[in-house]
Amino acid sequence: MTPFFFISFVTFLLLLLFSFISNASPTALVAPIQLDAATSLYTMKLVPPSPSGNSPIMLDLDNSNLWRDCADPVLYSSPSFRPLLCNETAACAAAQTCSSNICGSAGCYGTCNEAGLTYPTCSNYTCASWASITAIRWSMGTAVWRDTIALPSTDGRQVLSKVTIPDFAFLCTDDTLLKGGEGRLPPGVVGGTGLSRNPIALPSQISSKIPTISRKFGYCLPSSTTRPGVIFFGDGPYVFKPDIDVSTRLRYTPIISFSKEADSYFLDVKSISVAGVPLGIDSSLLTIKRNKTSRSYVAGTRFSSSVPYTQLTPSIYNSLVSEFKKAAIAQKIKEVAPISPFDLCFDASTTNFSRVGYNVPQIDIALKGNGKSKTEKWQIYGANSVTKVNRDVFCLAFQPTDEYESRSIIIGTYQQQEAFFQFDLAANRLGFVPSLPLIGTGCSDFSFT
Ligand SMILES: *[C@@H]1O[C@H](CO)[C@@H](O)[C@H](O)[C@H]1NC(C)=O
Ligand SMILES: *[C@@H]1O[C@H](CO)[C@@H](O)[C@H](O)[C@H]1NC(C)=O
Ligand SMILES: *[C@@H]1O[C@H](CO)[C@@H](O)[C@H](O)[C@H]1NC(C)=O
Ligand SMILES: *[C@@H]1O[C@H](CO)[C@@H](O)[C@H](O)[C@H]1NC(C)=O
């Protein structure tokens, strides 16, 4: 054997070994995220042979379960489709840990025929849990099944080979949920996915089945309705064109635990300011607490994937509107008559536009940082604070909460667009990069091809 041949043979073996290792132990999986223009809701896609096939499913942070409509238009079937039985007690308990305000109590089915329940929303001796769509506040109790799901792996720069995960627990519904949302959901959706911290939710189920993938996920919601954004399951790097790894730029704030609604993510907002001026916020509105009279838990901040514009309790909202108006007028931006559903609008010809949107007063949300007094600022520029309603007018893109909302602040998706968020479930913290355009990239700049 000549030395050259020997060396290239060894190199070949090493390459083979390396590609085997990288395929066998992926560190991250990846999927595209799409914004639907009509509903302002986001969807994501798994790849075949997942139960959702090539179809989109709702992206839902406040939810635990992956589900699909298994009855309509055709009965779902696959060779590896099987029920999660009641006697698989640990897996069944994990599938039942839904604790949002839209879940009921979970249980187990006995025999379906006798109870008049229909397949596959019921199956004999099968574990039952709750499927829901947060955006329309609908849910239904139904049977838990198992089948293979698949997602492409990634090294954070490009899409690598497909990874299949057998025996993934998911829920089968009939058409009740999707019918309930008819006209209010993105076209073509066949189900939804849960991204909560619960063990059955996509991030935790993936990392428990593939130990090389850590229990965290990062997403970047696009502002474009034509170019997809991206969700990563696992660790960075998360690289966007032209070669910007956003995982090196994350700032962190704790994810607050609130066991009554363990399916949702809560943050600790310390203050909000406009052009450097802090809003006069009653600090009791910023922490979740029990109201003894109404016996409910009120106040605090929820991070949402289904509310488009950030909602603020009326006192905070009014304070933001008045401070933003004052600062905009000081900047010679001309106020015009409001256009519904917004309350504060401006003449677009009276300010300039840059890569971070209209040049309007900057809004800063100060989030709890590391250490007692430290905060991390989330800067919100024009691209995320105001929205263009017609050729001549843009409006402040925030809304007041309605009377049914218990939280003081619901962070909406418009404010999250073109920013990057990493939900580190093991460390209970949210990493964020406020504006990708400011660092020369965007959510649609991950290379899927
Ligand atoms: C659960 O019950 C099924 C059918 O009754 C049985 O085949 C299976 O072995 C049981 N599994 C366990 C873990 O007990
Ligand atoms: C479910 O159990 C009932 C009652 O024992 C039985 O009649 C029925 O055939 C079972 N269904 C299936 C699909 O095994
Ligand atoms: C508690 O709830 C009651 C009834 O809804 C309400 O009137 C009261 O203002 C609340 N108190 C606080 C401190 O939020
Ligand atoms: C827009 O920017 C240009 C150039 O920087 C400047 O001359 C002009 O005054 C600005 N217009 C407004 C309305 O701010």
Side-chain angles (χ1 to χ4, degrees):
M1 198 183 281
T2 65
F4 174 76
F5 179 78
F6 179 73
I7 288 168
S8 52
F9 183 68
V10 168
T11 310
F12 172 76
L13 276 183
L14 282 175
L15 276 175
L16 198 69
L17 184 70
F18 180 75
S19 73
F20 176 75
I21 288 173
S22 62
N23 275 339
S25 42
T27 55
L29 306 180
V30 67
I33 290 180
Q34 192 74 47
L35 169 60
D36 174 50
T39 59
S40 300
L41 292 171
Y42 286 88
T43 59
M44 64 172 280
K45 270 185 183 175
L46 307 177
V47 298
S50 302
S52 52
N54 277 316
S55 302
I57 49 180
M58 306 284 311
L59 182 83
D60 199 343
L61 284 179
D62 306 85
N63 201 345
S64 291
N65 299 311
L66 177 67
W67 62 273
R68 76 148 294 162
D69 177 348
C70 295
D72 191 57
V74 289
L75 211 55
Y76 177 75
S77 81
S78 113
S80 44
F81 184 50
R82 62 186 185 90
L84 197 160
L85 298 176
C86 303
N87 64 1
E88 302 172 73
T89 45
C92 184
Q96 294 172 333
T97 53
C98 176
S99 56
S100 75
N101 44 12
I102 49 178
C103 286
S105 60
C108 224
Y109 290 119
T111 51
C112 301
N113 295 17
E114 286 160 14
L117 297 168
T118 53
Y119 177 92
T121 55
C122 180
S123 160
N124 284 354
Y125 314 114
T126 295
C127 189
S129 190
W130 289 77
S132 57
I133 309 178
T134 304
I136 58 165
R137 300 188 192 191
W138 265 58
S139 63
M140 70 177 281
T142 192
V144 187
W145 293 81
R146 282 171 157 162
D147 208 342
T148 301
I149 70 157
L151 279 165
S153 60
T154 181
D155 57 2
R157 298 173 180 277
Q158 57 184 329
V159 176
L160 303 173
S161 59
K162 181 166 83 179
V163 172
T164 57
I165 310 174
D167 278 331
F168 202 91
F170 75 106
L171 273 54
C172 267
T173 68
D174 56 16
D175 63 4
T176 308
L177 278 180
L178 294 176
K179 278 260 165 64
E182 216 161 306
R184 292 185 289 160
L185 300 177
V189 293
V190 298
T193 187
L195 297 174
S196 81
R197 281 176 284 180
N198 276 330
I200 195 182
L202 205 51
S204 301
Q205 223 183 138
I206 288 173
S207 76
S208 74
K209 295 219 158 80
I210 308 176
T212 49
I213 297 181
S214 42
R215 208 174 139 232
K216 54 180 79 159
F217 67 98
Y219 78 31
C220 202
L221 303 181
S223 56
S224 165
T225 54
T226 53
R227 301 174 64 220
V230 59
I231 181 166
F232 299 97
F233 295 94
D235 256 317
Y238 312 124
V239 182
F240 292 77
K241 283 175 269 186
D243 201 25
I244 296 170
D245 177 7
V246 301
S247 72
T248 63
R249 301 177 188 244
L250 296 168
R251 309 167 194 176
Y252 295 98
T253 186
I255 293 171
I256 303 302
S257 292
F258 173 44
S259 59
K260 302 278 174 205
E261 290 173 26
D263 285 4
S264 294
Y265 293 98
F266 300 94
L267 301 181
D268 189 353
V269 170
K270 293 295 187 192
S271 66
I272 301 176
S273 57
V274 177
V277 179
L279 304 182
I281 299 175
D282 172 357
S283 65
S284 73
L285 291 172
L286 299 178
T287 313
I288 298 176
K289 60 173 190 305
R290 189 159 185 268
N291 177 325
K292 291 201 183 80
T293 319
S294 66
R295 294 181 172 193
S296 60
Y297 287 83
V298 295
T301 300
R302 184 172 75 243
F303 196 87
S304 172
S305 60
S306 40
V307 164
Y309 301 111
T310 293
Q311 299 178 356
L312 303 167
T313 200
S315 69
I316 303 180
Y317 178 75
N318 293 336
S319 168
L320 175 73
V321 168
S322 94
E323 210 48 64
F324 195 85
K325 177 170 162 175
K326 202 193 293 173
I329 290 169
Q331 214 182 294
K332 307 243 165 7
I333 303 173
K334 188 170 164 257
E335 189 187 352
V336 296
I339 294 175
S340 177
F342 303 107
D343 295 314
L344 182 63
C345 299
F346 300 95
D347 177 346
S349 72
T350 58
T351 187
N352 274 336
F353 198 86
S354 75
R355 62 180 167 175
V356 289
Y358 286 107
N359 180 17
V360 294
Q362 183 177 318
I363 299 174
D364 290 330
I365 299 182
L367 294 160
K368 182 181 164 54
N370 273 325
K372 257 199 182 120
S373 57
K374 205 164 169 277
T375 59
E376 289 290 352
K377 272 204 180 116
W378 174 3
Q379 290 90 354
I380 299 183
Y381 307 102
N384 301 97
S385 65
V386 295
T387 182
K388 194 170 178 170
V389 293
N390 64 41
R391 216 186 42 173
D392 307 317
V393 176
F394 64 79
C395 302
L396 181 65
F398 287 78
Q399 305 210 290
T401 51
D402 66 25
E403 63 203 287
Y404 306 107
E405 180 56 63
S406 315
R407 306 279 81 79
S408 306
I409 302 173
I410 323 294
I411 309 256
T413 53
Y414 189 78
Q415 275 67 38
Q416 297 168 39
Q417 285 177 357
E418 304 299 326
F420 190 89
F421 297 93
Q422 186 203 55
F423 299 77
D424 184 340
L425 309 186
N428 266 322
R429 60 180 188 170
L430 177 75
F432 64 100
V433 179
S435 167
L436 295 203
L438 197 67
I439 57 171
T441 187
C443 289
S444 305
D445 288 323
F446 176 75
S447 178
F448 275 103
T449 49

